[in-house]
Amino acid sequence: MAALRAAGAALLRPGRGEVAAALGYHKKVVDHYENPRNVGSLDRNAKNVGTGLVGAPACGDVMKLQVEVDENGKIIDARFKTFGCGSAIASSSLATEWVKGKTVDEALKIRNTDIAKELCLPPVKLHCSMLAEDAIKAALADYKLKQNPKKEESEKKTNNA
């Protein structure tokens, strides 16, 4: 399995887009892989930054997505780091593009099916778009928790009583 992953990664290195496309990767996936948008990290300790870390044990993909939200509830920046195949990286890259400029509630409406459709992902790669949706939800949940941590604590106490 590791050898297949390494071979797949080698085919997606810059300048190999034609080979990757011939193996079934859509040109949009190749573009986001070769030219990923918003790679990096934000300050995870900042109150206005939410961090989502999700993974798929079956394939080994791990995705960290972070959002920075302004005082009006609008996402002003997003960053990602992903360990995985080209489809996982492309899904992360597209997700960061899509959340920027949206409100928290609007970003929560982004679905894996929309990401998969935009990237023309084959059925075998749908888990990559699912990870991206999960990463968005996790980052926004973390952001919301930071905004009102006492509310979350009191809800937990009420539920445990």
Side-chain angles (χ1 to χ4, degrees):
M1 184 69 175
L4 287 174
R5 185 183 302 271
L11 291 173
L12 284 175
R13 286 196 186 111
R16 306 267 174 108
E18 302 81 22
V19 175
L23 290 175
Y25 283 98
H26 191 273
K27 64 183 179 181
K28 291 179 181 179
V29 172
V30 175
D31 178 45
H32 275 277
Y33 180 84
E34 289 184 344
N35 306 294
R37 286 68 149 177
N38 307 306
V39 175
S41 295
L42 299 169
D43 179 5
R44 67 183 180 104
N45 295 317
K47 187 178 178 186
N48 67 330
V49 172
T51 302
L53 182 64
V54 297
C59 66
D61 293 343
V62 178
M63 196 175 284
K64 180 181 86 169
L65 190 139
Q66 295 179 297
V67 294
E68 181 179 357
V69 184
D70 71 11
E71 61 279 352
N72 299 315
K74 191 176 209 176
I75 299 170
I76 56 172
D77 200 4
R79 299 278 180 227
F80 82 93
K81 286 188 177 180
T82 295
F83 174 80
C85 67
S87 296
I89 292 167
S91 294
S92 304
S93 176
L94 182 65
T96 60
E97 283 193 314
W98 280 6
V99 298
K100 286 168 92 173
K102 288 187 172 23
T103 65
V104 169
D105 290 336
E106 290 169 341
L108 284 170
K109 293 178 183 172
I110 295 173
R111 296 288 170 251
N112 69 290
T113 51
D114 301 323
I115 294 168
K117 185 176 180 181
E118 177 67 21
L119 293 173
C120 304
L121 295 179
V124 72
K125 292 296 184 178
L126 291 180
H127 67 280
C128 298
S129 62
M130 291 178 201
L131 270 181
E133 179 183 340
D134 291 345
I136 292 168
K137 288 179 180 175
L140 294 173
D142 181 55
Y143 164 76
K144 286 181 175 182
L145 180 64
K146 287 180 174 181
Q147 301 315 297
N148 199 353
K150 292 181 180 170
K151 180 180 176 188
E152 287 286 327
E153 289 174 21
S154 65
E155 285 177 5
K156 285 181 185 176
K157 287 178 185 175
T158 303
N159 291 337
N160 290 335

